[in-house]
Amino acid sequence: MADNLKLSVVTPEGSLFSGEATFVAAPAWDGEVGILPGHAAMIAALGTGELRIERDESGARKTDRYAVRGGFLQVIDDSVTLLVTEAKTADGLDVQVVKGDLEKILEALQHPESDEAYEKLLDDRRWMETLGRID
């Protein structure tokens, strides 16, 4: 069994991460999935949430955090590939704008126009909450 995973995270804009990781936690469509070396082969649809990548950097553990939304994850032989529809890092995020957008979404959730609008608002709320947590 390998000590690390070979990880590739790709967005429509290009590569977000390519390298080795000791652990990956990703928001699957129906809950979070954690992947360690030796994980069984799998494919999962991604939902909205935080992608955490733990890696060993010169003997010290480092965790990278990204907000991701939609896409797919594949695990084969200690190789993990995430094709992500949308991803954000903490760089350039304005916390006040995120808080303001979240407040608007929470207000809209009080009186959604339809079931579809309600589901979209719930996903938008998860997205804003995730953006508020990444650092």
Side-chain angles (χ1 to χ4, degrees), residues 47-67:
T48 298
E50 184 178 8
L51 169 63
R52 292 186 319 278
I53 301 169
E54 291 184 11
R55 53 194 178 88
D56 188 17
E57 191 174 273
S58 302
R61 175 181 268 170
K62 177 154 174 42
T63 302
D64 298 318
R65 298 176 189 284
Y66 304 93

Side-chain angles (χ1 to χ4, degrees), residues 51-127:
L51 169 63
R52 292 186 319 278
I53 301 169
E54 291 184 11
R55 53 194 178 88
D56 188 17
E57 191 174 273
S58 302
R61 175 181 268 170
K62 177 154 174 42
T63 302
D64 298 318
R65 298 176 189 284
Y66 304 93
V68 297
R69 189 180 210 180
F72 294 92
L73 171 145
Q74 176 183 12
V75 180
I76 298 177
D77 296 330
D78 290 328
S79 180
V80 180
T81 304
L82 285 90
L83 303 175
V84 180
T85 305
E86 186 176 3
K88 299 275 186 196
T89 64
D91 295 339
L93 280 182
D94 185 333
V95 176
Q96 294 307 317
V97 170
V98 171
K99 286 181 180 180
D101 289 346
L102 179 58
E103 287 177 17
K104 290 175 189 172
I105 291 165
L106 292 173
E107 178 65 31
L109 274 167
Q110 299 301 312
H111 304 286
E113 297 175 7
S114 65
D115 290 345
E116 293 81 18
Y118 181 72
E119 290 297 321
K120 169 87 171 83
L121 287 166
L122 287 177
D123 187 61
D124 289 345
R125 183 190 74 189
R126 280 190 296 273
W127 180 244

Side-chain angles (χ1 to χ4, degrees), residues 1-8 19-21 35-43 73-81:
M1 182 166 80
D3 290 338
N4 288 311
L5 300 162
K6 181 181 173 191
L7 176 63
S8 178
E20 292 192 349
I35 303 161
L36 288 165
H39 196 286
M42 70 175 283
I43 294 176
L73 171 145
Q74 176 183 12
V75 180
I76 298 177
D77 296 330
D78 290 328
S79 180
V80 180
T81 304

Side-chain angles (χ1 to χ4, degrees), residues 1-27:
M1 182 166 80
D3 290 338
N4 288 311
L5 300 162
K6 181 181 173 191
L7 176 63
S8 178
V9 181
V10 181
T11 72
E13 289 79 31
S15 178
L16 182 65
F17 182 94
S18 182
E20 292 192 349
T22 57
F23 175 73
V24 176

